[in-house]
Amino acid sequence: MSLEARTPLEGYEEYDPQDMQARIDSFTHNLKRRRTVRDFSTKAVDRKIIERAIEAAGTAPSGANHQPWHFVVIADPTRRTALRRAAEVEEQSFYEAKAGSEWLEALAPLGTDASKPFLESAPVVIAVFAQKRGGVTVGQDMKNYYINESCGIACGFMLAAFHEAGLVTLTHTPNPMRFLNKLCERPDTEKAYMLIVAGHPDSDATVPEHALIKKSLSDISDWI
Ligand code: IYR
């Protein structure tokens, strides 16, 4: 295969206009039901579901197609306990000192605090790592590009996949997250990007009313 080899586009499907509208209506309607949830039940999630969500994330577009991500499913209970402890230490100093009043004021309607029991009890916790170096195949050592953009899109795909499967998710970013490299045995060339927590909602799960406020189409867009 030469470097510039090209191949016909496969798998593309065109829909007639009515179908197109119905499909995008249904997709958007479904995404509008997605909520960030912090109250997880302990009900197990099949490994195959988690693997599919990772595969969905891995289809995201990325800088030079280097796919600069690595997903670590933290399943081991001992590591979960260590994760919770380390994250809560960081969060305590965040809420008590680092955040500052403006940030705390923005968070107040969410009702979050330094306590993160879901890191131990939720059925799925995935640490997403952004790779500073890599390449299109494993083992290459080239510079990666647009790492944050690429990983952000991949995480979005993963959230949509879990939602599609009838699971709820939480994006969590303990700050700083350096401790995650050691906990997940990842090299220094990777940067912990995000924790994605997933599972079934607890039977008495609640969400903040604040989270239901969504900007309208006209608020978020313009045609020029
Ligand atoms: N990482 C902290 C604080 C936090 C920050 C933002 I911005 C949020 O949208 C939610 C939480 C925590 O997880 O509590």
Side-chain angles (χ1 to χ4, degrees):
M1 187 178 88
S2 79
L3 270 182
E4 304 85 10
R6 304 191 71 82
T7 186
L9 174 66
E10 271 177 24
Y12 170 76
E13 285 183 45
E14 181 169 350
Y15 304 108
D16 65 44
Q18 264 185 340
D19 245 21
M20 186 190 268
Q21 191 67 54
R23 292 178 69 98
I24 200 152
D25 287 350
S26 149
F27 184 79
T28 306
H29 178 78
N30 191 29
L31 274 187
K32 284 183 178 180
R33 293 188 300 107
R34 187 205 57 80
R35 297 271 95 74
T36 289
V37 169
R38 292 179 173 78
D39 307 319
F40 292 90
S41 99
T42 54
K43 187 172 173 178
V45 173
D46 201 286
R47 181 182 175 124
K48 287 200 196 109
I49 302 291
I50 303 167
E51 287 176 345
R52 278 284 187 265
I54 296 172
E55 285 183 310
T59 68
S62 64
N65 192 31
H66 282 197
Q67 304 150 67
W69 42 64
H70 192 82
F71 302 91
V72 178
V73 183
I74 309 176
D76 169 48
T78 311
R79 281 188 219 249
R80 285 290 203 91
T81 304
L83 169 64
R84 178 182 177 182
R85 292 229 172 94
E88 286 183 340
V89 167
E90 301 292 9
E91 294 296 347
Q92 247 140 33
S93 68
F94 172 80
Y95 281 96
E96 279 163 24
K98 276 191 292 187
S101 58
E102 190 175 8
W103 200 341
L104 289 180
E105 203 178 303
L107 288 179
L110 299 180
T112 55
D113 58 29
S115 163
K116 305 296 173 193
F118 49 77
L119 293 178
E120 246 180 326
S121 60
V124 185
V125 175
I126 301 175
V128 184
F129 287 87
Q131 299 179 321
K132 289 177 247 183
R133 299 192 65 81
V136 71
T137 55
V138 172
Q140 285 185 317
D141 185 31
M142 298 166 74
K143 183 171 155 46
N144 285 340
Y145 302 93
Y146 298 106
I147 299 165
N148 288 316
E149 292 82 350
S150 306
C151 287
I153 299 169
C155 287
F157 279 19
M158 177 174 278
L159 299 180
F162 278 132
H163 176 66
E164 183 70 16
L167 298 170
V168 293
T169 51
L170 168 66
T171 47
H172 181 48
T173 49
N175 181 9
M177 290 196 282
R178 272 185 294 277
F179 68 88
L180 278 171
N181 284 67
K182 192 161 175 236
L183 193 132
C184 297
E185 300 173 33
R186 298 309 299 168
D188 289 344
T189 49
E190 295 185 359
K191 186 172 155 277
Y193 181 79
M194 188 179 286
L195 288 171
I196 293 183
V197 186
H200 296 87
D202 212 354
S203 54
D204 51 8
T206 60
V207 295
E209 283 180 14
H210 176 83
L212 306 183
I213 306 166
K214 297 296 179 195
K215 291 176 183 168
S216 69
L217 174 64
S218 62
D219 287 334
I220 64 170
S221 61
D222 274 308
W223 291 51
I224 57 172

